[in-house]
Amino acid sequence: MNEHNVRVTGLAVLVSAAIFAGCCKCGKDCGNVTVNPARAVIVNAAKGGELAAEELAANLKEVTGVAIPVVAKAGPGQFAFVIDNRNVKDESFAWTVTATNAVFSGVAKFAVYDFLESALGVRWPAEDIIAAPAMNPLVLAK
């Protein structure tokens, strides 16, 4: 590896650290969202999102120790993890976190896995094994 590659790699690590520290693309601190799992629900808002909802529920239980229910609609004051896979035209996906919800769109299953890995540090070292750091309440970067 030459000196140029080391600098680029180092810069990528610094940028990644800034993003995970809760910074927005604009460079400002956008804060974090603290989610009480006992006041959270998973909303399956689109047909075909059952697998994504089940995977999210199972992994969030490993992380938080709380079984977060899958429901048709969030109630007042509940944080909603929303599975929304409508209008999928290819294999693209995205997830966003706001003060009141986290929305998984596109191919929701891929969005859920990326969220679990990127935002919560969940790993799957072998089939049927979940390595997840304990976090209750959940602290998510916007």
Side-chain angles (χ1 to χ4, degrees):
M1 182 181 302
N2 65 35
E3 185 177 324
H4 178 71
N5 288 341
V6 171
R7 286 187 191 145
V8 171
T9 302
L11 178 60
V13 170
L14 289 175
V15 170
S16 296
I19 291 169
F20 284 112
C23 298
C24 292
K25 292 177 186 175
C26 63
K28 296 179 182 176
D29 181 7
C30 297
N32 292 322
V33 176
T34 301
V35 178
N36 176 353
R39 296 284 309 141
V41 293
I42 299 168
V43 178
N44 187 8
K47 185 177 180 180
E50 294 82 10
L51 177 61
E54 290 171 13
E55 287 292 311
L56 183 60
N59 284 276
L60 286 175
K61 184 172 183 187
E62 289 293 323
V63 171
T64 66
V66 176
I68 298 175
V70 178
V71 298
K73 184 178 177 185
Q78 291 182 314
F79 185 89
F81 292 95
V82 181
I83 306 297
D84 184 3
N85 63 355
R86 292 174 285 190
N87 301 320
V88 176
K89 295 180 180 153
D90 55 20
E91 292 188 357
S92 64
F93 64 92
W95 56 270
T96 57
V97 176
T98 69
T100 59
N101 62 38
V103 178
F104 306 92
S105 57
V107 180
K109 175 180 69 171
F110 295 163
V112 164
Y113 289 139
D114 187 64
F115 167 78
L116 291 167
E117 193 169 33
S118 300
L120 300 180
V122 175
R123 300 291 186 266
W124 303 272
E127 190 175 332
D128 296 331
I129 296 176
I130 299 171
M135 189 186 310
N136 188 346
L138 291 171
V139 178
L140 308 174
K142 286 186 185 177

